[in-house]
Coordinates of all heavy atoms in Angstrom, one line a residue:
H911 N -16.5 -2.1 4.9 CA -15.2 -2.7 4.9 C -15.2 -4.0 5.9 O -14.7 -5.0 5.5 CB -14.1 -1.7 5.4 CG -12.8 -2.3 5.7 ND1 -12.4 -2.6 7.0 CD2 -11.8 -2.8 4.9 CE1 -11.2 -3.2 6.9 NE2 -10.8 -3.3 5.7
A950 N -2.8 -2.9 -0.9 CA -2.1 -1.9 -0.1 C -2.4 -2.1 1.4 O -3.5 -2.7 1.7 CB -2.4 -0.5 -0.5
A951 N -1.6 -1.6 2.3 CA -1.8 -1.7 3.7 C -3.1 -0.9 4.1 O -3.6 0.0 3.4 CB -0.6 -1.1 4.4
G952 N -3.7 -1.4 5.2 CA -4.9 -0.7 5.7 C -6.2 -1.5 5.5 O -7.1 -1.2 6.2
F953 N -6.2 -2.3 4.5 CA -7.4 -3.1 4.2 C -7.4 -4.3 5.2 O -8.5 -4.5 5.8 CB -7.4 -3.6 2.8 CG -8.6 -4.5 2.4 CD1 -9.8 -3.8 2.0 CD2 -8.7 -5.8 2.6 CE1 -11.0 -4.5 1.7 CE2 -9.8 -6.5 2.3 CZ -11.0 -5.9 1.9
K955 N -5.8 -4.9 8.2 CA -4.9 -4.4 9.3 C -4.4 -5.4 10.2 O -3.3 -5.4 10.7 CB -5.7 -3.3 10.0 CG -5.8 -1.9 9.3 CD -6.4 -0.9 10.2 CE -6.6 0.4 9.4 NZ -5.5 1.3 9.4
E972 N -0.3 -6.9 1.6 CA 0.4 -6.2 2.7 C -0.5 -6.1 3.9 O -1.5 -5.4 3.7 CB 1.0 -4.8 2.2 CG 1.9 -4.2 3.3 CD 2.7 -3.0 2.7 OE1 3.3 -3.1 1.7 OE2 2.7 -2.0 3.5
G974 N -1.4 -4.9 8.0 CA -1.1 -3.9 8.8 C -1.8 -2.6 8.4 O -2.5 -2.6 7.4
T975 N -1.5 -1.5 9.0 CA -0.4 -1.3 9.9 C -0.6 -1.8 11.3 O -1.7 -1.7 11.8 CB -0.1 0.3 10.1 OG1 0.3 0.8 8.8 CG2 0.9 0.6 11.1
V976 N 0.3 -2.6 11.8 CA 0.2 -3.1 13.1 C 1.2 -2.3 14.1 O 2.3 -1.9 13.7 CB 0.6 -4.6 13.2 CG1 -0.5 -5.4 12.8 CG2 1.8 -4.9 12.4
M989 N -14.1 7.2 8.4 CA -13.8 6.7 7.0 C -15.0 7.1 6.2 O -16.2 6.8 6.5 CB -13.7 5.2 7.1 CG -13.3 4.5 5.8 SD -13.0 2.8 6.0 CE -12.9 2.2 4.3
V998 N -11.6 8.2 -1.2 CA -11.9 7.9 0.2 C -11.1 8.8 1.0 O -10.0 9.2 0.7 CB -11.5 6.4 0.5 CG1 -11.6 6.1 2.0 CG2 -12.2 5.4 -0.3
I999 N -11.8 9.3 2.1 CA -11.0 10.0 3.2 C -11.1 9.2 4.5 O -12.1 8.7 4.8 CB -11.5 11.4 3.5 CG1 -11.3 12.3 2.3 CG2 -10.9 12.1 4.7 CD1 -11.9 13.8 2.4
N1000 N -9.9 8.9 5.0 CA -9.9 8.2 6.4 C -9.1 8.9 7.4 O -8.0 9.5 7.1 CB -9.5 6.7 6.1 CG -8.0 6.5 6.3 OD1 -7.5 6.4 7.5 ND2 -7.2 6.6 5.2
L1002 N -8.6 6.9 10.4 CA -8.8 5.8 11.3 C -7.8 5.9 12.5 O -8.2 5.7 13.7 CB -8.5 4.5 10.6 CG -9.5 4.1 9.5 CD1 -9.1 3.0 8.7 CD2 -10.9 3.8 10.1
F1004 N -4.6 4.3 12.9 CA -4.0 3.0 13.3 C -4.8 2.2 14.2 O -4.3 1.7 15.2 CB -2.6 3.2 13.8 CG -1.5 3.6 12.8 CD1 -0.3 4.0 13.3 CD2 -1.8 3.5 11.5 CE1 0.7 4.3 12.4 CE2 -0.7 3.8 10.6 CZ 0.5 4.3 11.0
N1005 N -6.2 2.0 14.0 CA -6.9 1.1 14.8 C -6.4 -0.3 14.5 O -6.4 -0.7 13.3 CB -8.4 1.2 14.5 CG -8.7 1.1 13.0 OD1 -8.0 1.6 12.2 ND2 -9.7 0.3 12.7
N1028 N 3.2 -4.4 7.4 CA 3.4 -3.0 7.6 C 3.4 -2.6 9.1 O 2.4 -2.9 9.8 CB 2.3 -2.3 6.8 CG 2.4 -0.7 6.8 OD1 2.5 -0.1 7.9 ND2 2.3 -0.1 5.6
T1057 N 7.4 -3.3 5.9 CA 7.2 -1.9 5.5 C 7.2 -0.9 6.7 O 6.4 -1.1 7.6 CB 5.9 -1.7 4.7 OG1 5.9 -2.5 3.6 CG2 5.8 -0.2 4.3
N1059 N 6.2 2.3 8.0 CA 5.3 3.3 7.6 C 5.4 4.5 8.5 O 5.1 4.6 9.6 CB 3.8 2.7 7.8 CG 2.7 3.7 7.5 OD1 3.0 4.7 6.8 ND2 1.5 3.5 8.0
S1061 N 4.2 7.5 7.1 CA 3.5 8.5 6.3 C 2.0 8.6 6.5 O 1.3 9.3 5.8 CB 3.8 8.2 4.8 OG 3.7 6.8 4.6
S1062 N 1.5 7.9 7.5 CA 0.0 8.0 7.8 C -0.2 9.4 8.4 O 0.5 9.8 9.4 CB -0.4 6.9 8.7 OG -0.5 5.7 8.0
K1100 N 7.6 3.5 3.6 CA 6.5 4.0 2.8 C 6.3 5.5 3.1 O 6.3 5.9 4.3 CB 5.2 3.3 3.3 CG 4.0 3.8 2.6 CD 2.8 2.8 2.8 CE 1.5 3.3 2.1 NZ 0.4 2.4 2.3
I1126 N 7.9 2.6 -0.9 CA 6.5 2.6 -1.4 C 6.0 4.0 -1.5 O 6.1 4.8 -0.5 CB 5.5 1.8 -0.3 CG1 6.1 0.4 -0.2 CG2 4.1 1.8 -0.9 CD1 5.2 -0.5 0.7
S1128 N 2.7 6.1 -2.8 CA 2.7 6.8 -1.6 C 1.5 6.5 -0.7 O 0.6 5.7 -1.1 CB 2.6 8.3 -1.9 OG 1.2 8.6 -2.3
N1129 N 1.5 7.1 0.5 CA 0.4 6.9 1.4 C -0.7 8.0 0.9 O -0.6 8.5 -0.2 CB 0.8 7.3 2.8 CG 0.1 6.5 3.8 OD1 -1.1 6.4 3.8 ND2 0.9 5.8 4.7
T1130 N -1.7 8.2 1.7 CA -2.8 9.1 1.4 C -2.2 10.6 1.5 O -1.2 10.8 2.1 CB -3.9 9.0 2.4 OG1 -3.4 9.1 3.7 CG2 -4.6 7.6 2.3
G1147 N -6.7 11.5 5.6 CA -5.9 11.3 4.3 C -6.8 10.9 3.2 O -7.8 10.1 3.3
L1148 N -6.6 11.6 2.1 CA -7.4 11.3 0.8 C -6.7 10.3 0.0 O -5.5 10.3 -0.3 CB -7.6 12.6 0.1 CG -8.2 12.6 -1.3 CD1 -9.7 12.4 -1.2 CD2 -7.8 13.9 -2.1
S1149 N -7.5 9.3 -0.6 CA -7.0 8.3 -1.4 C -7.9 8.1 -2.6 O -9.0 8.7 -2.6 CB -6.8 7.0 -0.7 OG -8.0 6.6 -0.1
G1150 N -7.5 7.3 -3.6 CA -8.4 7.0 -4.7 C -8.0 7.9 -5.9 O -7.0 8.6 -5.9
A1151 N -9.0 8.0 -6.9 CA -8.7 8.6 -8.2 C -8.0 10.0 -8.0 O -7.1 10.3 -8.8 CB -10.0 8.7 -9.0
L1153 N -5.9 11.1 -6.1 CA -4.6 11.0 -5.6 C -3.6 10.5 -6.7 O -2.4 10.5 -6.6 CB -4.5 10.1 -4.4 CG -3.1 9.6 -3.8 CD1 -2.4 10.9 -3.3 CD2 -3.3 8.6 -2.7
F1154 N -4.2 10.0 -7.9 CA -3.4 9.4 -8.9 C -2.3 10.3 -9.4 O -1.2 9.9 -9.4 CB -4.3 8.9 -10.0 CG -3.5 8.2 -11.1 CD1 -2.9 7.0 -10.9 CD2 -3.3 8.9 -12.3 CE1 -2.2 6.4 -11.9 CE2 -2.6 8.3 -13.3 CZ -2.0 7.0 -13.1
V1177 N 1.7 3.4 -5.5 CA 0.4 3.3 -4.9 C -0.3 4.7 -5.0 O 0.3 5.7 -4.8 CB 0.4 3.0 -3.4 CG1 -0.9 2.4 -3.0 CG2 1.6 2.1 -3.0
G1178 N -1.6 4.7 -5.2 CA -2.3 5.9 -5.2 C -3.3 6.0 -6.5 O -2.7 6.3 -7.5
G1179 N -4.5 5.8 -6.3 CA -5.4 6.0 -7.3 C -5.4 5.0 -8.5 O -5.9 5.3 -9.6
V1180 N -4.8 3.8 -8.3 CA -4.8 2.8 -9.3 C -6.3 2.1 -9.3 O -6.6 1.5 -8.3 CB -3.8 1.8 -9.2 CG1 -3.9 0.7 -10.2 CG2 -2.4 2.5 -9.3
Q1198 N 0.3 -1.2 -5.9 CA -0.7 -1.6 -4.8 C -2.0 -0.8 -5.0 O -2.0 0.3 -5.5 CB -0.1 -1.4 -3.4 CG 1.0 -2.3 -3.0 CD 1.5 -2.0 -1.6 OE1 1.5 -0.8 -1.2 NE2 1.9 -3.0 -0.9
I1199 N -3.1 -1.4 -4.6 CA -4.4 -0.8 -4.6 C -5.1 -0.9 -3.4 O -5.0 -2.0 -2.7 CB -5.2 -1.3 -5.8 CG1 -5.4 -2.8 -5.8 CG2 -4.7 -0.9 -7.1 CD1 -6.2 -3.4 -6.9
Y1200 N -5.9 0.1 -3.0 CA -6.9 0.0 -1.9 C -8.2 0.6 -2.4 O -9.2 -0.1 -2.6 CB -6.4 0.6 -0.6 CG -7.3 0.4 0.5 CD1 -6.8 0.4 1.8 CD2 -8.7 0.2 0.4 CE1 -7.7 0.3 2.9 CE2 -9.6 0.0 1.5 CZ -9.1 0.0 2.7 OH -9.9 -0.1 3.8
S1201 N -8.3 1.9 -2.5 CA -9.5 2.6 -2.8 C -10.2 2.1 -4.1 O -11.4 2.0 -4.2 CB -9.3 4.1 -2.9 OG -8.7 4.5 -1.7
G1202 N -9.4 1.7 -5.1 CA -9.9 1.2 -6.4 C -10.9 0.0 -6.1 O -11.9 -0.2 -6.8
V1204 N -12.7 -0.4 -3.5 CA -14.0 0.1 -3.0 C -15.0 0.3 -4.1 O -16.2 0.1 -4.0 CB -13.8 1.4 -2.2 CG1 -15.1 2.0 -1.7 CG2 -12.8 1.1 -1.0
Ligands
LIG1370 C1 -9.3 3.2 4.9 C2 -7.8 3.3 4.6 C3 -7.0 2.8 5.6 C4 -5.6 2.8 5.4 N1 -4.8 2.4 6.4 C5 -3.4 2.3 6.1 C6 -2.5 1.8 7.1 O1 -2.9 1.3 8.1 N2 -1.2 1.8 6.8 C7 -0.7 2.3 5.6 O2 0.5 2.3 5.3 N3 -1.5 2.8 4.7 C8 -2.9 2.8 4.9 N4 -3.7 3.3 3.9 C9 -3.1 3.9 2.7 C10 -3.1 2.9 1.5 O3 -2.3 1.8 1.8 C11 -2.7 3.6 0.2 O4 -1.3 4.0 0.4 C12 -3.5 4.8 -0.2 O5 -4.8 4.6 0.2 C13 -3.4 5.1 -1.6 O6 -3.8 4.1 -2.4 P1 -5.3 4.1 -3.1 O7 -5.5 5.3 -3.8 O8 -5.2 2.9 -4.0 O9 -6.2 3.8 -2.0 C14 -5.1 3.3 4.2 C15 -6.0 3.8 3.2 C16 -7.3 3.7 3.4 C17 -8.3 4.2 2.3

Side-chain angles (χ1 to χ4, degrees):
H911 171 259
F953 181 86
K955 282 184 187 274
E972 185 167 315
T975 297
V976 280
M989 183 174 167
V998 175
I999 290 178
N1000 93 82
L1002 293 170
F1004 286 169
N1005 56 314
N1028 180 306
T1057 299
N1059 175 20
S1061 45
S1062 288
K1100 183 166 177 178
I1126 304 184
S1128 72
N1129 216 308
T1130 57
L1148 173 75
S1149 56
L1153 174 61
F1154 178 73
V1177 203
V1180 175
Q1198 286 178 327
I1199 52 180
Y1200 185 154
S1201 304
V1204 172

